[in-house]
Amino acid sequence: DGWADRAREGDHVVMKLLVDTPFELAGELEANRDGDGAVVLDSPHLRFDNRRGLALNPHGLGPFSRLIVPGLPDRPGVYAVLSRDLVVAYIGRARDSLRTRWGRRGYAVIDPRNCFIGGQSTNCHINGLITAGLSQGEGYTLWFHAIDPPDDLEGNLRWGLRPSWNIHLYNMVPIFPRLHCRRPRASR
């Protein structure tokens, strides 16, 4: 229906939503589909030789899919996943490469090891949400802003926009360093 093209045409609106930062549209996120058009689902944790008896991470059960990701630059930056109605669902950063973060070792293909404690649970979390949405007929676009370092911009966008898929660190109580106080020694 051309909704990604409409997003491209209205990208000035999206840029405004993204705190006046000039994000570029990479394109539409898609998943591998079978002959009937259904998303091909995968449960990679079943292929992991779990000799150490590791527990699944909170997002490790899946199901997941092999995502088809539009081209991204091989540079650090901040990215945003937007829903079909241009709601920012997720904000993230790539300290090394946007292309790698969304490639075969990132969100696009879930490695079986990442399904378990100690693996990349964020990969599972985001791939699982995109897979679930695509399976239900939702659509998503991927936007990016190349910047080095990406940390401050990502933090400001997450704090300001509070995307629903992000882990909400801004809801946590700040932890202050413990102060160690001693009573003065009594003089002898």
Side-chain angles (χ1 to χ4, degrees):
D1 65 355
W3 70 273
D5 292 329
R6 286 195 309 278
R8 185 176 291 112
E9 291 167 7
D11 64 1
H12 64 282
V13 174
V14 174
M15 285 183 213
K16 214 46 153 172
L17 288 172
L18 294 173
V19 194
D20 293 325
T21 302
F23 274 67
E24 295 178 49
L25 176 64
E28 191 170 349
L29 290 169
E30 189 48 78
N32 283 347
R33 295 183 181 267
D34 64 19
D36 296 327
V39 173
V40 176
L41 302 177
D42 186 21
S43 298
H45 70 283
L46 299 175
R47 297 190 307 273
F48 183 66
D49 185 10
N50 193 4
R51 292 180 188 176
R52 294 188 297 163
L54 299 171
L56 283 172
N57 73 49
H59 310 288
L61 190 57
F64 307 108
S65 63
R66 288 181 177 259
L67 298 177
I68 301 167
V69 179
L72 289 165
D74 194 19
R75 297 184 51 206
V78 175
Y79 51 87
V81 176
L82 276 67
S83 66
R84 183 169 282 161
D85 52 358
L86 301 181
V87 172
V88 178
Y90 185 72
I91 296 284
R93 71 173 179 263
R95 288 187 177 132
D96 297 321
S97 167
L98 290 158
R99 182 180 307 151
T100 301
R101 186 72 187 103
W102 280 89
R104 293 184 51 79
R105 294 183 182 208
Y107 296 130
V109 179
I110 299 301
D111 183 276
R113 174 62 183 95
N114 286 337
C115 298
F116 295 87
I117 299 294
Q120 280 284 346
S121 65
T122 303
N123 292 3
C124 297
H125 176 62
I126 298 306
N127 183 298
L129 288 168
I130 293 170
T131 298
L134 292 174
S135 295
Q136 297 170 8
E138 298 294 324
Y140 303 102
T141 51
L142 180 61
W143 298 74
F144 71 93
H145 177 78
I147 186 172
D148 190 12
D151 303 69
D152 288 344
L153 178 59
E154 183 221 16
N156 290 337
L157 291 171
R158 284 180 63 176
W159 184 267
L161 297 171
R162 299 182 185 224
S164 61
W165 292 0
N166 284 88
I167 296 172
H168 301 291
L169 297 176
Y170 39 78
N171 288 335
M172 297 175 72
V173 176
I175 298 174
F176 298 98
R178 179 180 284 178
L179 298 176
H180 296 283
C181 300
R182 286 191 247 169
R183 290 183 191 195
R185 286 186 171 178
S187 56
R188 293 184 185 184

